[in-house]
Amino acid sequence: MRNCPATVARCRILVRLFLSFSALICSPAFAQAQQNNSHEELLQIPGEIGRPGGRLVVSLRGEPKTLNPLIAADARSREVIGVMQADLIHINRATQLTEPALAKSWKISPDGLIYTLVLRKGLKFSDGQPMDADDVLFSFRVYLDENTHAPQRDLLIVGGKPIAVSKIDSQTIAFQLSKPYGVGERLFDGLAILPRHLLEKPFQEGKLGQIGSLNAAANQWAGLGPFRLKEYVAGQRLVLERNPYYWKSDAKINRLPYLDELVFLFVPNADAQVLKFQSGETDMISQLGAENFSVLSRQQNGYTVADAGPGLEYNFLFFNLNDLGEKPSADLQRKQKWFREVKFRQAVSAAVDREAIVRLVYQGRGTPLWGLVTPGNKRWNDANLPHPVRSLDRARALLKEAGFSWATGPNGESTLQDSDGKPVEFSILTSSTNADRSKMAALLQDDLKQLGMRVQVVPMEFRSLLDRVTQSKEYDACIMGVASYDADPNSDINVWLSSGGTHLWNPSQPHPSTPWEAEIDRLVEDQMSARTFDQRKKLYDRAQEILAENQPMIFLASPDILAGAKNSVGNFHPAVLEPYVLWNVEQLYLKNGRESPAR
Amino acid sequence: MMRYLLRRLAHSFLLVFGVSVLAFLFTALAPGNYFDEMRLNPQIAPETLVALRAQYELDRPLPLRYASWLNSVLHGQMGFSFAYNSPVAPLLLARAKNTLLLTVTATLLAWALALPLGVWSAERLGRLPDRVISWGTATLLVIPDLALALGLLVLAVRTHRFPTGGMVSLDFDSLTASGKIRDLVAHMALPVAALILSALPLLVRHVRAAVAEVLHAPFLLAAEGHGIPRFTLLFRYALPAAANPLLSLFGFSIGALLSGSLLIEVVMSWPGLGPFLLEAILARDIYVVIGGVLFSTIFLAAGNFLADMLLYWLDPRIRTESASR
Amino acid sequence: MIRRRKLAIWLLILGVLHAIVLCAGFFAPYNPVEQDRKNPYLPPMRVHFVDTHNHLHLRPFVYAFQLRPGTFDQYVEDTTRQIPLHFFIAGAPYRLLGFLPARIHLFGAGDERIYLLGTDAFGRDQLSRLLFGGQVSLLAGLLGAGFTLLIGWCIGAVAGYFGGWQDDVLMRLAELFLALPWLYLLFAVRAFLPLSVNPLQAFFLIVAVIGAVGWARPARLVRGIVLSAKERDFVRAARGFGASNIYLLRRHILPETSSVLLTQAAILIPQYVLAEMTLSFLGLGVPEPVPSWGNLLSNLQQYSVLVSYWWTYLPALAMVPFFLGYLGLASALQERADPYKIERRSLGNLA
């Protein structure tokens, strides 16, 4: 071998590399990483360090029906699925911003059409099987499959076309949209990555709907969430155990979750849930009503209750503005003439005593609302929206301008009449099972009595009500409440769009029936494809203002998010987005560690 | 006798069949279906709902749906639950056992309490014990079932002696046999108490009325004259004579074994048919509801049949009637 | 003698109670739908005769309540503000017995508000709501129970008397009625009723429907009694004398059923009054803002109300005398119809 300087240099470099490499192998950090399986890339999350071990017991207001995200239609199943599955990009419920989850990084192409996500390495499902891009591909294929009718399918149709998913390599996937989508990577939140090794065969046989039943053996189902199935007793409880392959760790590189077991007790009655929490049989409680919160906050022995501030639920009154053609009775036609008059709706809004609603229905734990976006949604709330004070005089002035007048009845009370002399009477539908909205209806009834309107409150069982409002459209007015599932306005897109199914006062229009609805349609479509947050906010603010000018929905109030936990539960930080207390379940721990209260 | 039995059996069969047809009709009359709730979900498009309805055959005409449901009954499945995506029969059976545990205990105890209370009340008609029992009955009638159940739960929380709902503790499987029994009894105490308290007014008043009527009968005077002790007089002479309406009521108690405890099970989170059926009713999971209705009908028919048999056996006056035919 | 006086006493008691409810407008100080939003869940005001300075007042008075600052529903008596009670005072107009316009109330406080039984979630006077609520509830209870008993009686009598196939058919029909899920039918009825129907009328329609459907239990009870009674010796004897079926039924057999029917009536009326609570859970009950005993009591079905606002129990306590009255009346009527008619004096230890 000739002693060529280049070769010698190369050898030196090689030796140095070898030495540093062996030093690296022997270093403690690497040793620890070795413990965690040398190729695994864990997501390290900040926060209080907790103690491992223990069992947390929570109550569920009903029973989950299935563990399969493709058929889960009810809220209880979704709550349970949420702690057993994981998504590519997750919305942090506390900050309301996106953060990496199964995908450790992502890039958006300059034209906004292609999202390239890079997965973490070495991830495993809860049954120990490895996870890679093929599972992601499979999951999206199943979500988009036309014969499965998964509820997630419509989320993945952007600009009328389904998202195209392709694999770049075993750790990288590309998602191609047909139009730029302002929502961006928030799209991926909640879309669980499913185990291909368990589901591919049933999918090909068309039997996907039968997988993931709660009765199935624990080893027939797997997910990437912090917990996996341990035991299910029909009607009583669901016991989950720690997923030993979970891909998150705390700041000290301890693998999460801290808890050994998570137990869901099925308690169908809200008051029974409160009693169970008070007696110490459950460790946390969420979705507390205001009255029960007051009762619990009076004697906080061993537990704390917290008010997380205004949530995303908005309650509103709306009128029947459907275009019913020849069908409606003369009665309904006459009423619709009143409802279509903007000043009528503005007068009703001016007469509503929102402060009383917050005080009497929510015991002060709520905020009055004048728009769709609640103050709990800090990023999207329009601070410039007018908040007019309640004024019966202004309401009366508006009615007078619209051609209404008052007549004195036989008992001395004044009745409002329209320009034809007919008294103004209509009914407000409300769901009989929702106590809060029934109370709001009673308050509204009294408010409108002061204007001379005779309002009947008609409580109706919820599905009959839905049928009337969305199918037969034979109603006058209705009080409804909707809880947005995400802070981003896109989660309510079907309320905004005139063609939307939840545009309740006049749903599924073939084309917008009023100029302002057309304007809102334009604004909302534009903000969907706008690229920057500021652009979107400006468009969205303008849409909110148009809504406030025309009052198709008269917004009433929004309740605060109320929750409670035993003092022995650590890292309890209720959020205003669902799931309110279990969003950080992997970080929850018991301060007594392994001596958890096993009852 | 045999012919009568067979005839009754055939009638009960027809009854169950008739109930199934009418129940189908009723559930179709009420507006709305299972998938309506998803209408309010802004994420799901209306087309998906239409497709789901078609997939679960909700848009086929009623007679066809009934025929396919009948077919599934014959295969032991009793239809398909939309919510659970599985056959109805195993779901119902698992929970029916728990309900029966509760209601059989409560019914037996309620009758065991009502008979002595009613007899005592009738014996001391108009005097203090009767007055006290009347006040008690009136007060119980006024308290709504739900408030009663909640009140008992509050008692449990305050005294820490009873579990607040549920059927067993979390550590049930690790207990010894006697520990398991004790745990179960502790959990059953409150729901059973609530059921008994809500059933007592009706039973006590009827026992009282029936026995009071019979107490003036000549044959009792004669028996008393013979020196028969009071306890025997009341329970072995008077009560059987007064048994006629009570047997019919007992038949109803049997008939209500599956359906009478719905609300209380919900409040006490007892894993029986109550919470399950209530949720299915409100969610329009129709095959579950029809399955539940059928189960209850079977109990109802059995209860009335038992009452008729007992009536026939105990009341010789009815026997002479059929003998003379 | 004793029996007749007992009957008269119960009739008197019930009569007075019902009269108070009928004239609710006079006895109640306020209109039951008036809201007082500043005073939700106010506890009952205590009536005093002696004030804090130990002065005796001939006219009873109450102290106004102040909201404790920082709380939503905790009140303290404000001993600086006395509100005297005035009797036979003019107040909100009402119609006595439904048609006589009047303004005099038994008691009141002029422009101030007194709440002897406290207020509800909207600040409405519980006493006024209790009195007016009785009108709706008692009518619903009597109507529903009346329908049920009438239909049940007829069907049970026919089934028991004629026996044979009539008995079979009618009893299976009874089982059918008991087994069917009427809930869905009721949903359908409510859903199909046009919204312009006054919800109160809709409520009474529902009660009539429930009454008409609930005949199965009384029918079975009556049928059992009739089955047994028609073979009694005195009935056979009368038949031997040529009595017709109608005569036998009317004179000999149906009186046997009176005990069962009266007991059923005394139980059914309260049950129908309270059935309204389940109905309102399903959207079929008495609508806002009309008060009824059912919706007053339904507040008790919430844990927070059960433990925080004890005065919501008071309507239940007020109902006890009514139900006790019905039970007593039924018992007294039963004694009057006693078929054995032996003087109680000679019964010795048995009664």
Side-chain angles (χ1 to χ4, degrees):
Chain A
M1 178 166 61
R2 281 179 295 159
N3 267 1
C4 176
T7 324
V8 168
R10 236 178 276 139
C11 283
R12 274 207 203 108
I13 293 172
L14 276 173
V15 166
R16 273 204 207 107
L17 274 177
F18 179 71
L19 283 173
S20 44
F21 187 62
S22 42
L24 194 62
I25 291 179
C26 303
S27 78
F30 193 82
Q32 203 160 35
Q34 273 279 46
Q35 283 170 10
N36 296 338
N37 193 326
S38 54
H39 298 295
E40 214 174 4
E41 293 179 318
L42 295 180
L43 171 63
Q44 200 174 8
I45 52 179
E48 188 184 327
I49 312 282
R51 298 170 60 163
R55 176 178 66 192
L56 193 76
V57 181
V58 261
S59 58
L60 208 58
R61 198 175 304 173
E63 283 192 61
K65 316 289 186 295
T66 174
L67 295 178
N68 187 340
L70 296 163
I71 51 175
D74 65 306
R76 308 284 90 82
S77 303
R78 283 200 298 265
E79 273 181 68
V80 167
I81 290 175
V83 303
M84 296 174 70
Q85 304 288 339
D87 39 27
L88 291 170
I89 299 176
H90 194 71
I91 297 176
N92 183 310
R93 287 350 193 212
T95 63
Q96 297 181 7
L97 298 171
T98 53
E99 57 184 24
L102 291 172
K104 68 178 176 191
S105 67
W106 64 90
K107 273 203 300 277
I108 310 181
S109 66
D111 57 5
L113 295 179
I114 305 187
Y115 291 69
T116 315
L117 274 66
V118 179
L119 293 177
R120 275 169 219 292
K121 286 215 224 352
L123 296 176
K124 293 207 181 84
F125 282 96
S126 55
D127 57 0
Q129 296 294 322
M131 174 259 184
D132 61 13
D134 287 325
D135 293 293
V136 176
L137 228 60
F138 172 74
S139 305
F140 279 88
R141 197 166 130 225
V142 169
Y143 285 134
L144 286 168
D145 180 54
E146 284 178 346
N147 297 322
T148 312
H149 304 301
Q152 295 87 344
R153 177 159 197 271
D154 303 307
L155 284 174
L156 296 171
I157 301 191
V158 178
K161 289 213 202 41
I163 295 182
V165 186
S166 53
K167 174 173 154 180
I168 309 281
D169 62 42
S170 71
Q171 302 299 127
T172 322
I173 311 113
F175 295 85
Q176 179 150 26
L177 286 68
S178 60
K179 260 176 65 169
Y181 199 30
V183 169
E185 68 275 7
R186 292 177 92 93
L187 171 66
F188 293 101
D189 176 83
L191 289 173
I193 301 304
L194 305 168
R196 186 173 59 99
H197 60 278
L198 288 176
L199 295 182
E200 186 151 40
K201 206 154 90 64
F203 174 55
Q204 279 157 359
E205 292 169 2
K207 292 204 185 129
L208 257 188
Q210 286 148 19
I211 299 283
S213 118
L214 290 154
N215 288 312
N219 58 6
Q220 285 178 2
W221 187 250
L224 289 157
F227 292 93
R228 62 184 184 187
L229 177 64
K230 183 175 175 198
E231 185 199 5
Y232 168 70
V233 182
Q236 296 185 48
R237 61 178 180 272
L238 177 69
V239 181
L240 302 178
E241 67 180 2
R242 182 177 185 274
N243 176 3
Y245 304 104
Y246 193 51
W247 42 275
K248 280 195 197 171
S249 73
D250 62 12
K252 287 214 182 120
I253 322 190
N254 297 317
R255 191 190 291 264
L256 295 176
Y258 294 122
L259 295 166
D260 283 333
E261 262 186 17
L262 179 64
V263 178
F264 287 102
L265 291 180
F266 308 146
V267 183
N269 180 288
D271 286 335
Q273 276 187 316
V274 172
L275 284 163
K276 259 198 170 358
F277 178 66
Q278 257 195 326
S279 75
E281 284 179 37
T282 54
D283 300 314
M284 293 207 299
I285 187 166
S286 73
Q287 294 175 311
L288 268 181
E291 290 116 346
N292 284 333
F293 182 83
S294 301
V295 172
L296 284 175
S297 60
R298 250 175 259 153
Q299 352 149 273
Q300 301 192 39
N301 46 357
Y303 60 82
T304 331
V305 283
D307 182 340
L312 297 181
E313 179 182 330
Y314 50 95
N315 294 286
F316 54 96
L317 168 76
F318 63 96
F319 293 98
N320 185 349
L321 298 178
N322 285 291
D323 189 7
L324 295 167
E326 297 303 313
K327 279 194 337 188
S329 57
D331 202 47
L332 190 52
Q333 274 181 344
R334 186 165 35 96
K335 291 180 185 169
Q336 282 201 313
K337 242 181 53 190
W338 308 329
F339 301 155
R340 287 191 215 270
E341 173 61 61
V342 167
K343 295 212 168 81
F344 179 85
R345 302 195 297 266
Q346 288 172 340
V348 169
S349 179
V352 170
D353 191 352
R354 290 173 176 86
E355 186 266 337
I357 291 180
V358 169
R359 204 163 43 86
L360 297 177
V361 177
Y362 295 130
Q363 299 205 348
R365 301 203 175 273
T367 32
L369 276 188
W370 286 271
L372 199 148
V373 183
T374 75
N377 192 342
K378 296 193 174 51
R379 285 194 96 212
W380 293 97
N381 189 20
D382 184 358
N384 297 325
L385 213 57
H387 292 186
V389 171
R390 175 192 194 215
S391 162
L392 287 172
D393 292 327
R394 192 160 48 90
R396 291 200 190 99
L398 282 164
L399 285 172
K400 224 185 275 183
E401 280 171 42
F404 291 90
S405 57
W406 283 267
T408 327
N411 289 345
E413 82 278 10
S414 73
T415 348
L416 187 68
Q417 288 176 337
D418 65 4
S419 42
D420 296 324
K422 291 277 169 54
V424 174
E425 298 179 345
F426 58 92
S427 60
I428 298 184
L429 285 184
T430 174
S431 165
S432 58
T433 42
N434 191 304
D436 288 344
R437 287 196 267 279
S438 302
K439 280 211 190 117
M440 287 187 217
L443 287 170
L444 272 179
Q445 185 187 42
D446 199 73
D447 284 335
L448 295 178
K449 199 164 89 166
Q450 323 248 350
L451 288 181
M453 297 188 203
R454 270 198 64 211
V455 171
Q456 275 172 2
V457 175
V458 180
M460 201 176 260
E461 184 260 332
F462 189 57
R463 272 152 210 277
S464 310
L465 185 148
L466 269 187
D467 187 77
R468 268 200 191 247
V469 169
T470 55
Q471 299 289 85
S472 65
K473 310 211 173 111
E474 282 173 11
Y475 68 100
D476 298 337
C478 179
I479 289 189
M480 197 83 94
V482 175
S484 310
Y485 67 90
D486 185 19
D488 189 286
N490 239 56
S491 56
D492 291 309
I493 195 82
N494 282 317
V495 179
W496 289 102
L497 289 176
S498 61
S499 55
T502 40
H503 189 79
L504 286 171
W505 65 94
N506 191 347
S508 308
Q509 300 176 35
H511 33 256
S513 54
T514 59
W516 53 270
E517 278 174 290
E519 173 77 16
I520 291 186
D521 280 357
R522 251 196 319 273
L523 288 166
V524 164
E525 298 271 9
D526 286 344
Q527 71 77 34
M528 262 217 290
S529 31
R531 301 290 304 283
T532 68
F533 169 68
D534 289 319
Q535 281 177 334
R536 293 183 71 201
K537 180 109 191 344
K538 239 178 60 186
L539 293 166
Y540 196 47
D541 280 352
R542 180 76 197 114
Q544 290 185 60
E545 277 152 33
I546 297 180
L547 213 63
E549 283 162 27
N550 290 281
Q551 298 282 338
M553 295 194 270
I554 297 172
F555 293 99
L556 302 172
S558 173
D560 287 353
I561 302 297
L562 305 167
K566 277 201 193 134
N567 293 333
S568 56
V569 175
N571 269 331
F572 169 61
H573 301 296
V576 301
L577 284 178
E578 272 187 45
Y580 307 106
V581 295
L582 290 180
W583 66 274
N584 64 342
V585 66
E586 64 271 12
Q587 284 184 299
L588 293 175
Y589 69 97
L590 291 172
K591 295 190 180 147
N592 322 344
R594 290 190 195 280
E595 317 132 25
S596 62
R599 268 164 211 277
Chain B
M1 190 59 204
M2 206 46 196
R3 247 192 348 187
Y4 180 69
L5 263 171
L6 284 174
R7 224 182 41 202
R8 277 302 287 263
L9 220 60
H11 285 169
S12 302
F13 201 67
L14 273 173
L15 176 75
V16 172
F17 180 69
V19 166
S20 72
V21 171
L22 283 175
F24 236 90
L25 214 65
F26 281 8
T27 52
L29 273 180
N33 64 55
Y34 177 72
F35 300 103
D36 274 346
E37 188 169 5
M38 298 209 267
R39 237 176 246 288
L40 269 195
N41 185 338
Q43 299 175 276
I44 303 183
E47 295 81 42
T48 315
L49 293 176
V50 171
L52 277 170
R53 280 195 60 192
Q55 188 184 39
Y56 286 99
E57 300 179 3
L58 274 181
D59 53 357
R60 290 172 72 201
L62 208 57
L64 280 179
R65 272 200 279 149
Y66 183 73
S68 70
W69 175 78
L70 211 55
N71 187 22
S72 112
V73 169
L74 292 173
H75 285 128
Q77 289 197 328
M78 294 186 83
F80 202 71
S81 158
F82 302 133
Y84 285 81
N85 224 290
S86 81
V88 168
L91 294 172
L92 283 179
L93 281 171
R95 291 166 174 81
K97 278 187 301 192
N98 299 332
T99 295
L100 282 177
L101 181 61
L102 206 62
T103 50
V104 168
T105 319
T107 305
L108 289 175
L109 283 177
W111 276 93
L113 273 177
L115 285 174
L117 278 178
V119 167
W120 190 33
S121 200
E123 196 201 350
R124 304 242 185 264
L125 207 64
R127 297 219 279 272
L128 188 63
D130 182 37
R131 290 252 167 90
V132 168
I133 293 181
S134 286
W135 274 89
T137 310
T139 316
L140 276 177
L141 277 174
V142 163
I143 304 179
D145 276 352
L146 216 61
L148 188 65
L150 264 184
L152 286 172
L153 275 184
V154 173
L155 198 73
V157 173
R158 296 281 162 89
T159 61
H160 297 288
R161 270 185 207 284
F162 295 101
T164 41
M167 185 164 99
V168 293
S169 308
L170 280 176
D171 302 318
F172 186 70
D173 294 320
S174 58
L175 292 172
T176 63
S178 69
K180 282 189 181 162
I181 293 183
R182 244 176 315 164
D183 189 50
L184 195 61
V185 168
H187 278 91
M188 273 173 66
L190 289 182
V192 166
L195 282 173
I196 293 179
L197 285 175
S198 62
L200 267 186
L202 182 76
L203 297 180
V204 168
R205 291 306 294 192
H206 268 288
V207 171
R208 171 191 187 275
V211 172
E213 224 187 4
V214 155
L215 276 182
H216 303 170
F219 76 89
L220 273 184
L221 260 188
E224 195 196 359
H226 277 280
I228 296 187
R230 206 181 70 193
F231 187 79
T232 322
L233 267 175
L234 286 173
F235 284 93
R236 286 202 53 207
Y237 284 73
L239 198 54
N244 189 316
L246 301 182
L247 288 172
S248 304
L249 271 185
F250 185 65
F252 280 118
S253 291
I254 305 268
L257 276 182
L258 272 191
S259 48
S261 58
L262 210 111
L263 276 181
I264 296 196
E265 282 181 13
V266 170
V267 175
M268 302 261 183
S269 19
W270 184 264
L273 283 178
F276 183 61
L277 278 184
L278 190 63
E279 205 179 338
I281 290 175
L282 291 177
R284 302 277 201 276
D285 201 353
I286 44 181
Y287 297 114
V288 171
V289 175
I290 295 178
V293 166
L294 279 189
F295 270 32
S296 299
T297 312
I298 294 176
F299 272 83
L300 192 69
N304 282 346
F305 180 63
L306 185 69
D308 282 342
M309 289 288 98
L310 285 174
L311 258 180
Y312 186 82
W313 179 51
L314 269 177
D315 193 336
R317 296 171 283 200
I318 304 182
R319 260 178 276 159
T320 33
E321 178 255 335
S322 48
S324 67
R325 274 181 193 271
Chain C
M1 290 305 129
I2 309 167
R3 268 176 273 155
R4 228 175 307 171
R5 212 174 64 188
K6 217 162 146 202
L7 185 62
I9 293 178
W10 283 116
L11 277 174
L12 187 65
I13 295 178
L14 273 182
V16 166
L17 287 174
H18 282 81
I20 295 181
V21 165
L22 265 178
C23 304
F26 173 71
F27 289 96
Y30 302 111
N31 190 329
V33 309
E34 252 183 278
Q35 294 182 0
D36 181 5
R37 295 182 183 179
K38 295 212 176 22
N39 293 316
Y41 287 125
L42 203 74
M45 292 180 162
R46 266 176 298 192
V47 177
H48 300 276
F49 285 94
V50 181
D51 67 17
T52 44
H53 306 294
N54 285 330
H55 292 159
L56 176 70
H57 293 247
L58 280 178
R59 183 179 288 282
F61 63 92
V62 299
Y63 286 120
F65 272 114
Q66 282 269 52
L67 186 64
R68 211 177 282 169
T71 67
F72 162 74
D73 52 3
Q74 313 282 318
Y75 297 90
V76 217
E77 250 186 0
D78 180 6
T79 48
T80 60
R81 276 179 51 201
Q82 291 179 5
I83 306 176
L85 255 63
H86 296 275
F87 294 93
F88 297 103
I89 187 178
Y94 61 93
R95 286 180 181 277
L96 191 64
L97 297 177
F99 58 94
L100 292 168
R103 290 197 63 148
I104 307 275
H105 295 265
L106 176 64
F107 68 94
D111 288 331
E112 300 277 352
R113 312 273 297 182
I114 37 164
Y115 299 114
L116 288 183
L117 286 186
T119 64
D120 68 359
F122 301 108
R124 298 184 290 211
D125 177 30
Q126 282 263 80
L127 178 60
S128 308
R129 285 182 76 79
L130 176 64
L131 290 170
F132 276 96
Q135 291 178 347
V136 171
S137 293
L138 285 174
L139 184 59
L142 290 169
L143 194 71
F147 265 19
T148 301
L149 287 175
L150 194 63
I151 303 180
W153 200 23
C154 295
I155 295 191
V158 168
Y161 188 73
F162 290 109
W165 64 268
Q166 288 104 318
D167 181 25
D168 277 340
V169 164
L170 286 173
M171 284 303 106
R172 299 293 84 76
L173 197 65
E175 282 167 6
L176 192 76
F177 266 70
L178 277 175
L180 287 174
W182 293 104
L183 212 59
Y184 277 156
L185 186 65
L186 290 176
F187 283 165
V189 167
R190 184 66 193 92
F192 288 132
L193 274 180
L195 286 180
S196 53
V197 166
N198 182 346
L200 196 57
Q201 287 169 347
F203 166 66
F204 280 117
L205 180 65
I206 299 283
V207 169
V209 167
I210 294 184
V213 154
W215 55 263
R217 183 147 71 183
R220 264 196 77 83
L221 291 170
V222 166
R223 169 239 187 208
I225 304 261
V226 170
L227 261 183
S228 154
K230 73 178 179 188
E231 295 308 317
R232 302 277 276 281
D233 292 334
F234 59 87
V235 172
R236 284 165 172 246
R239 206 183 283 145
F241 275 114
S244 68
N245 282 340
I246 303 284
Y247 177 81
L248 283 173
L249 274 172
R250 184 173 59 84
R251 190 81 171 75
H252 291 292
I253 298 183
L254 289 182
E256 299 282 316
T257 61
S258 62
S259 156
V260 156
L261 278 177
L262 284 168
T263 315
Q264 278 283 297
I267 302 272
L268 278 178
I269 297 178
Q271 281 188 339
Y272 275 118
V273 168
L274 295 189
E276 189 245 318
M277 285 189 301
T278 321
L279 286 179
S280 47
F281 173 71
L282 304 164
L284 300 165
V286 172
E288 282 283 349
V290 178
S292 80
W293 286 348
N295 61 30
L296 284 182
L297 279 189
S298 63
N299 285 328
L300 281 179
Q301 296 177 313
Q302 296 169 297
Y303 171 53
S304 52
V305 173
L306 208 64
V307 295
S308 318
Y309 312 124
W310 59 267
W311 54 97
T312 42
Y313 295 15
L314 294 176
L317 288 181
M319 286 188 234
V320 170
F322 276 89
F323 297 158
L324 207 60
Y326 286 125
L327 286 174
L329 186 66
S331 177
L333 283 173
Q334 271 172 261
E335 283 181 55
R336 263 195 93 211
D338 191 328
Y340 291 106
K341 289 203 190 315
I342 297 178
E343 286 298 323
R344 296 177 66 207
R345 257 181 272 127
S346 61
L347 277 174
N349 288 339
L350 268 184

